[in-house]
Amino acid sequence: MRVIYSEDHKLRDAKTELHGGLLVKPFEGPFRAEWILQAVVEEGFADVVAPQSYGLETAEKVHDSDYLSFLETVWDRWVAEGYEGEVIPTAIPYRRARQVKPRAIDGLVGYYANAIETAITQGTYKAAISSMNVALTGVDWINAGNRFCFSLCRPPGHHAGIDLYGGYCFINNAAVAAQRFLDHGAKKVAILDVDFHHGNGTQDIFYRRGDVLFASLHGDPADAFPYYLGFADEKGEGAGEGSNHNYPMLPGTAWDVWSQALDDSLAKIKAFGAEVIVLSLGIDTFERDAISFFKLKTPDYITMGEKIAKAGLPVLVCLEGGYGVQEIGINTANVLKGLEA
C-alpha cells in the first residue's frame, strides 16, 4: 500500500485551543502525523512518497471560492489589524442574526467558523493545501489501477463545510478526493466516515447531491462535538435524498455495537453502487482517546479494515482524527493491515 505524506503538515502548528474555558495546547498537532508515519513504516508500509501539487479547481467544486480566498488571506489580514494572538473569532452569526458577511476581519472569521476552538495560524493555509494535495495524489494512485492508498492528511478535513472551518479542519480532503474521482470517470463514490466525531462538513457538502453517498459512524450529537448535525433522521435532500446515512452512538459504545453500524453502512454502499470508497479514518474511536468516548480496542482496527476490504472496492484512506495517545499509530497501521489481509 502506498502512503502519501508531506512534511508541510508541520506548517500547521497552533499554540492555542479553546477547551474547557481555557486556552490550552491543541490536541491536534504535528506529533499526530509523526506518530502515525513512524508506526505504519515500522509495520511494513514503507512505500512513502510526497504528494503532487494541484490547483484549486477541484476544491472550488466543493467549497465556496470566497471561503477559499478567506483561508488564503486571513492570517495576513489579522496581523495587519494589529492582533497579536492566533486567529480565534469573538462573534458568530447567532440565531435570528442577519447572515451578512462582515468587512472587518474579526467578524469575517466568525462568519466562516462552525466552531471557535480552532485557531488559525501563519502556516495553516499552506498546510491545508498540502493536506489536500496528499488526498488528491492518493486519488491518482487509485485511478492508476491500485486498490488501496493511505493519504496521511494533516490537517484533517471532515469538519470543513462548503464555506465553514472548525474542528481542526479547513479544506475537506475527503470531499475533494471524491470530487476528483467523479471528475475522472466515476459515476458514484462513497465516503465512509469512521471518525468518532460526525463529519458535519462532508454532510454539508453532499447533502443535496446524489452522486456521493455519505455514511458517518459517530458519537451521538446530543453528547458529542460537533453537536448540531449527525442525527439519524438526516437522509439528504433533493437529488441527495437517501444518500446520507448517520449512525449516532452512545457513550461507552464498544466494537460489538459499533461494528453492526459498519456492516449496515457497507451494505448501503453496495446497494448505492459505489465504485470507490473514500475512508475518512479517525482513530479517536479508541478506548483511550483524549477527547472521545467510544471503547474500540487495538485489535478491532484490523477487523475494521478487513470488513471494509470485503466490500470489494478500491479504498482511499484519508486521515482524520485521533488524539493524545501514541496508539493512534498502531491503530492506523492495523486498519491498513486489515485492508490488505
Side-chain angles (χ1 to χ4, degrees):
M1 183 182 305
R2 174 153 288 184
V3 177
I4 317 297
Y5 169 82
S6 172
E7 290 283 340
D8 284 349
H9 80 87
K10 296 176 182 178
L11 297 171
R12 165 71 186 166
D13 191 12
K15 305 304 180 186
T16 53
E17 174 179 334
L18 185 60
H19 177 76
L22 300 172
L23 288 175
V24 302
K25 181 180 179 180
F27 293 96
E28 203 291 308
F31 59 90
R32 295 180 59 247
E34 293 161 7
W35 287 349
I36 290 170
L37 180 65
Q38 178 181 350
V40 298
V41 170
E42 289 177 351
E43 292 298 318
F45 301 99
D47 180 16
V48 181
V49 302
Q52 302 293 316
S53 294
Y54 300 81
L56 291 175
E57 294 84 0
T58 309
E60 288 175 339
K61 294 180 179 179
V62 299
H63 288 295
D64 176 74
S65 59
D66 285 348
Y67 166 69
L68 294 172
S69 296
F70 159 79
L71 289 179
E72 183 177 13
T73 61
V74 57
W75 177 257
D76 288 341
R77 294 180 63 185
W78 184 261
V79 171
E81 286 294 321
Y83 296 117
E84 297 181 5
E86 296 177 332
V87 183
I88 299 176
T90 57
I92 58 175
Y94 49 87
R95 287 187 296 277
R96 294 173 298 282
R98 296 276 300 275
Q99 301 296 309
V100 177
K101 190 185 301 184
R103 282 191 295 269
I105 189 60
D106 188 28
L108 196 62
V109 171
Y111 178 83
Y112 283 123
N114 65 23
I116 61 173
E117 84 304 337
T118 298
I120 296 176
T121 62
Q122 184 174 15
T124 293
Y125 179 72
K126 289 182 179 179
I129 291 295
S130 173
S131 189
M132 178 194 75
N133 287 338
V134 167
L136 291 174
T137 302
V139 173
D140 289 352
W141 180 249
I142 296 291
N143 282 340
N146 300 286
R147 189 173 178 198
F148 303 120
C149 186
F150 176 37
S151 289
L152 207 170
C153 298
R154 184 185 172 268
H158 73 150
H159 295 308
I162 295 171
D163 56 357
L164 295 165
Y165 78 92
Y168 317 131
C169 301
F170 307 94
I171 295 175
N172 195 309
N173 306 307
V176 177
Q179 184 63 54
R180 186 167 179 84
F181 278 123
L182 293 168
D183 291 345
H184 286 74
K187 301 300 182 185
K188 291 186 176 181
V189 176
I191 299 178
L192 175 59
D193 192 325
V194 298
D195 190 281
F196 168 79
H197 303 94
H198 178 246
N200 56 331
T202 312
Q203 175 170 310
D204 179 46
I205 289 167
F206 294 112
Y207 202 65
R208 295 165 184 83
R209 290 177 53 170
D211 50 358
V212 175
L213 178 143
F214 176 61
S216 179
L217 288 62
H218 52 268
D220 193 316
D223 301 302
F225 181 92
Y227 298 112
Y228 308 110
L229 281 179
F231 296 94
D233 61 352
E234 297 160 10
K235 299 293 187 181
E237 293 179 355
E241 186 173 357
S243 295
N244 194 89
H245 303 283
N246 288 322
Y247 298 85
M249 288 172 271
L250 296 173
T253 292
W255 175 255
D256 57 343
V257 172
W258 192 94
S259 64
Q260 293 177 32
L262 178 62
D263 290 342
D264 190 74
S265 66
L266 290 169
K268 286 182 167 59
I269 288 170
K270 181 179 180 179
F272 177 71
E275 299 156 66
V276 62
I277 294 173
V278 178
L279 179 63
S280 277
L281 178 62
I283 307 298
D284 43 3
T285 49
F286 182 55
E287 61 183 341
R288 293 183 51 238
D289 189 84
I291 54 175
S292 308
F293 57 58
F294 284 172
K295 300 300 178 183
L296 272 61
K297 300 179 182 298
T298 291
D300 295 333
Y301 294 95
I302 295 178
T303 311
M304 181 192 301
E306 291 172 343
K307 282 178 174 287
I308 294 168
K310 287 179 181 178
L313 297 173
V315 180
L316 171 64
V317 182
C318 292
L319 181 66
E320 300 289 358
Y323 307 103
V325 289
Q326 282 194 279
E327 286 94 335
I328 62 174
I330 187 59
N331 293 342
T332 299
N334 278 354
V335 174
L336 305 185
K337 288 193 285 188
L339 285 171
E340 288 199 331

